[in-house]
């Protein structure tokens, strides 16, 4: 396994800090059988799902034993995973957006007759009304409804593209970033399908600390609308590339949620994967290594 990560990750990505923004709760809607079948199909195609480190432990072990009795009246919160035709998503009910979204890109899936004009942003009614974002939250906020799984990644099916317009797959994004530098990163992800067997993309928000005038570190972020939708300080995108020869290549990017010069090379935003794992509370590398030892991580300055 080749590893290129390490060192100070702030340099290639300007002055980015590190932090944690996690939350999860229990969903109440039961899916129809056809939805379950579609969900199982997409989950089977994804080689790696990011998970919190404790997620694989039994409830009883995490609770210190007696899990069944402790759950007598239900548990107030569990990870909310949604599997749709075009992506798998883990929802954060506190932030009113996703913790992460994983999608599989292919050259064939990037073409098709699907029309963006036939899609509308809409509430995700699988999320409890207390915890979901609405279009009204974004109206007049000054932020775009920024896709996490991009609509243009899923032209192969009108339903797949329509699914990307659920507000659970959206986060408040600076308009200049959304329409320029972030859009360039999305286009780059699509271009990688030309030379890779499979391209898996995981995207999500970050809420990173910043030092204030008193010399202390604080995590501060804006919320918008009556639903108090959290505005991320940064966004991450992790790319897992399956090369034709069997090697797995890992590329991880972080961009601040503010205007970014679209002329800057995307390499400037490459960061070591550990930076994202520490900041998000998610794990990628341990999961990948369960499937292969032939892993190469690309950071700024690497020869690709």
């Amino acid at each position: 396994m080749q590893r290129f990560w390490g060192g100070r990750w702030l340099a290639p990505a300007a002055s980015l800090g590190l932090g944690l923004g996690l939350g999860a709760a229990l969903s109440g809607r039961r899916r129809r059988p056809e939805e379950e079948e579609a969900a199982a199909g997409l989950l089977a195609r994804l080689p790696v799902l990011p998970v919190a480190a404790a997620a694989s432990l039994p409830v009883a072990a995490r609770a210190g034993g007696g899990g069944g009795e402790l759950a007598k009246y239900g548990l107030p919160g569990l990870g909310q995973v949604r599997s749709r035709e075009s992506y798998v998503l883990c929802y954060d009910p506190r932030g009113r957006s996703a913790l992460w979204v994983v999608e599989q890109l292919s050259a064939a899936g990037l073409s098709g007759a699907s029309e963006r004009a036939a899609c509308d942003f809409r509430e995700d009614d699988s999320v409890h009304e207390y915890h979901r974002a609405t279009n009204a939250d974004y109206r007049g906020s000054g932020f775009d409804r920024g896709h996490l799984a991009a609509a243009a990644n899923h032209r192969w099916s009108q339903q797949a593209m329509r699914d990307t317009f659920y507000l659970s797959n959206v986060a408040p994004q600076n308009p200049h970033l959304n329409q320029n530098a972030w859009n360039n990163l999305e286009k780059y992800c699509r271009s990688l399908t030309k030379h890779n067997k499979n391209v898996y993309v995981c995207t999500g928000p970050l809420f990173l600390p910043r030092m204030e005038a008193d010399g202390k570190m604080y995590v501060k972020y804006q919320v918008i609308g009556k639903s108090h939708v959290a505005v991320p300080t940064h966004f991450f995108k992790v790319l897992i590339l399956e090369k034709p020869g069997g090697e797995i290549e890992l590329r991880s990017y972080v961009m601040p949620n503010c205007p970014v010069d679209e002329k800057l090379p995307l390499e400037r935003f490459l960061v070591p994967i550990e930076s994202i794992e520490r900041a998000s509370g998610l794990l990628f590398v341990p999961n990948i290594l369960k499937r292969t030892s032939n892993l190469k991580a690309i950071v700024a300055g690497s020869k690709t």
Side-chain angles (χ1 to χ4, degrees):
M1 178 185 71
Q2 293 178 275
R3 298 188 65 184
F4 294 93
W5 53 71
R8 294 177 60 83
W9 78 285
L10 299 181
S15 57
L16 305 183
L18 294 179
L20 178 66
L22 294 176
L26 186 64
S27 169
R29 189 180 77 96
R30 297 186 63 182
R31 290 189 292 192
R32 298 187 300 273
E34 59 270 24
E35 290 179 298
E36 296 288 353
E37 183 177 350
L42 181 56
L43 283 167
R45 296 201 304 272
L46 296 173
V48 174
L49 291 179
V51 294
S56 61
L57 297 177
V59 171
R62 293 199 299 269
E69 181 64 23
L70 293 177
K72 180 177 180 179
Y73 296 106
L75 300 175
L78 292 172
Q80 295 191 22
V81 175
R82 304 285 188 277
S83 182
R84 297 202 163 98
E85 201 165 329
S86 45
Y87 58 84
V88 175
L89 168 154
C90 184
Y91 191 70
D92 174 10
R94 184 176 62 178
R96 313 321 191 219
S97 185
L99 290 171
W100 52 261
V101 180
V102 177
E103 52 189 326
Q104 179 184 13
L105 308 189
S106 66
L110 299 179
S111 59
S114 299
E115 298 182 3
R116 187 183 177 105
C119 303
D120 294 306
F121 287 103
R122 63 195 189 281
E123 295 180 32
D124 187 341
D125 60 6
S126 73
V127 175
H128 193 284
E129 61 181 332
Y130 290 173
H131 304 143
R132 75 175 73 142
T134 69
N135 282 308
D137 293 321
Y138 284 85
R139 198 169 296 126
S141 69
F143 290 94
D144 281 359
R145 291 166 292 191
H147 284 83
L148 299 176
N153 293 350
H154 303 285
R155 298 183 185 277
W156 55 278
S157 159
Q158 187 66 57
Q159 182 58 50
M161 179 176 283
R162 189 175 293 116
D163 282 350
T164 68
F165 282 80
Y166 278 116
L167 291 177
S168 53
N169 178 52
V170 163
Q173 196 165 43
N174 178 275
H176 187 278
L177 176 69
N178 183 37
Q179 298 161 29
N180 294 281
W182 189 257
N183 186 42
N184 291 342
L185 181 55
E186 291 176 335
K187 290 178 180 177
Y188 174 67
C189 293
R190 291 191 284 272
S191 75
L192 293 172
T193 62
K194 299 176 183 177
H195 308 293
N196 293 281
K197 183 180 177 181
N198 280 302
V199 176
Y200 299 92
V201 182
C202 183
T203 307
L206 292 173
F207 298 85
L208 306 184
R210 184 175 60 181
M211 185 175 290
E212 298 289 337
D214 61 4
K216 297 178 181 179
M217 301 291 286
Y218 296 89
V219 176
K220 292 184 178 181
Y221 55 90
Q222 182 181 348
V223 295
I224 60 172
K226 292 183 177 180
S227 304
H228 295 166
V229 182
V231 179
T233 63
H234 298 73
F235 291 94
F236 74 82
K237 199 175 282 288
V238 174
L239 313 183
I240 303 171
L241 312 178
E242 292 183 352
K243 314 300 285 188
E247 184 182 52
I248 302 297
E249 187 174 288
L250 192 63
R251 294 172 177 260
S252 43
Y253 299 83
V254 171
M255 285 189 180
N257 193 10
C258 62
V260 170
D261 185 354
E262 64 271 24
K263 296 179 182 178
L264 287 174
L266 292 175
E267 185 187 48
R268 291 280 298 274
F269 303 97
L270 276 168
V271 301
I273 186 62
E274 292 102 324
S275 301
I276 295 175
E277 290 180 319
R278 289 178 182 274
S280 65
L282 306 174
L283 294 174
F284 295 90
V285 173
N287 297 336
I288 297 172
L289 292 179
K290 290 177 182 177
R291 288 181 169 264
T292 181
S293 60
N294 194 8
L295 174 63
K296 177 181 179 181
I298 303 298
V299 297
S302 297
K303 293 182 179 180
T304 60

